[in-house]
């Protein structure tokens, strides 16, 4: 598998994207989880590895059982003659008047 065929949405500095995906799913910044895992390395490498693999299993399960909804694209089905030109909105409020002190 070449580097070009890899997932383009995953940044190059991520291994599997577990922290980022959990952060997206649960609404927190992924660096919080990354720092917690780094601090945990002080006490137990095995414990952090088990925790990371458990989190990876949670991410995989969430993607299987609750996949992200696909974004629908809007298709313009109106005939070309029925399309009204888009005119930018104009601001018709008068400009403020400043008096000059003499």
């Amino acid at each position: 598998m070449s580097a070009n065929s890899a997932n383009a949405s995953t940044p190059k500095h991520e291994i599997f994207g577990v922290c980022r995906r959990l952060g997206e799913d649960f609404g927190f910044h992924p660096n919080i989880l990354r720092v917690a895992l780094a601090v945990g390395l002080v006490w137990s490498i095995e414990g952090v590895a088990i925790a990371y693999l458990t989190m990876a299993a949670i991410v995989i399960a969430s993607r299987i059982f609750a996949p992200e909804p696909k974004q629908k694209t809007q298709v313009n089905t109106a005939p070309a003659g029925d399309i009204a030109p888009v005119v930018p909105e104009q601001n018709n409020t008068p400009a403020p008047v400043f008096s000059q002190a003499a």
Side-chain angles (χ1 to χ4, degrees):
M1 181 195 276
S2 68
N4 293 338
S5 65
N7 188 356
S9 66
T10 304
K12 293 181 181 179
H13 65 273
E14 289 184 355
I15 298 173
F16 297 112
V18 172
C19 296
R20 180 178 56 89
R21 299 234 185 227
L22 284 175
E24 288 174 357
D25 290 347
F26 294 105
F28 62 88
H29 199 280
N31 284 347
I32 295 171
L33 194 53
R34 291 176 183 134
V35 169
L37 289 171
V39 170
L41 286 173
V42 173
W43 287 282
S44 174
I45 293 174
E46 296 86 8
V48 170
I50 291 170
Y52 190 82
L53 291 174
T54 303
M55 291 185 299
I58 292 170
V59 168
I60 291 170
S62 71
R63 296 299 182 245
I64 291 172
F65 296 117
E68 296 176 10
K70 294 181 180 178
Q71 294 181 354
K72 295 181 182 178
T73 58
Q74 292 183 345
V75 177
N76 189 1
T77 58
D82 293 342
I83 299 174
V86 177
V87 179
E89 195 173 308
Q90 295 179 356
N91 188 357
N92 292 330
T93 58
V97 178
F98 298 105
S99 62
Q100 294 180 348

